[in-house]
Amino acid sequence: SLGPDHPWVATALTDLGLLSNKQGMYEEASTHFERALDIRTKALGEGHPDVVVSFNNLAQLSKNQGNIARAKSLYKDLLEILKKHRGEDHPDVAACRKNLKSMPRDEDD
């Protein structure tokens, strides 16, 4: 038995999140992505590539929904994780910075 906190469950939740997103069921997609991120972080550790995918899914969904503050927060958290586990010069760090810079600006920027 895999159990509810197995990484394969997170993969299934990610797939459900992607499907829900395509169908316009954004709250449901967010719930699936959040649960997948939680499972993967606990089971695999914050630096694992699947955790990065989960952060990106959730941040992109937040951006697409217009929740820019949440998307920025997720990308900032991810950037710190990537720098810690991959180093400043890693391509994933550059990609995350690019995603952050692509976010609409607000009065706090």
Side-chain angles (χ1 to χ4, degrees), residues 55-82:
F55 261 104
N56 276 316
N57 287 338
L58 199 50
Q60 189 62 44
L61 176 65
S62 297
K63 178 182 175 184
N64 292 345
Q65 286 183 283
N67 192 342
I68 303 306
R70 182 174 189 219
K72 283 183 180 180
S73 176
L74 288 162
Y75 280 131
K76 287 176 182 177
D77 290 345
L78 178 56
L79 181 60
E80 292 307 310
I81 290 168
L82 289 170

Side-chain angles (χ1 to χ4, degrees), residues 81-96:
I81 290 168
L82 289 170
K83 289 192 302 188
K84 176 180 172 186
H85 291 278
R86 297 203 171 100
E88 283 284 340
D89 297 328
H90 194 279
D92 289 347
V93 172
C96 189

Side-chain angles (χ1 to χ4, degrees), residues 3-88:
D5 295 326
H6 193 278
W8 287 359
V9 173
T11 299
L13 288 166
T14 297
D15 291 343
L16 286 170
L18 293 169
L19 181 61
S20 297
N21 186 32
K22 268 193 155 176
Q23 293 176 336
M25 300 184 312
Y26 304 119
E27 289 302 317
E28 188 173 316
S30 182
T31 299
H32 293 314
F33 288 154
E34 287 171 3
R35 180 72 179 120
L37 176 60
D38 183 55
I39 291 170
R40 287 175 166 167
T41 301
K42 289 177 183 171
L44 305 172
E46 70 177 9
H48 193 277
D50 288 349
V51 173
V52 173
V53 168
S54 290
F55 261 104
N56 276 316
N57 287 338
L58 199 50
Q60 189 62 44
L61 176 65
S62 297
K63 178 182 175 184
N64 292 345
Q65 286 183 283
N67 192 342
I68 303 306
R70 182 174 189 219
K72 283 183 180 180
S73 176
L74 288 162
Y75 280 131
K76 287 176 182 177
D77 290 345
L78 178 56
L79 181 60
E80 292 307 310
I81 290 168
L82 289 170
K83 289 192 302 188
K84 176 180 172 186
H85 291 278
R86 297 203 171 100
E88 283 284 340

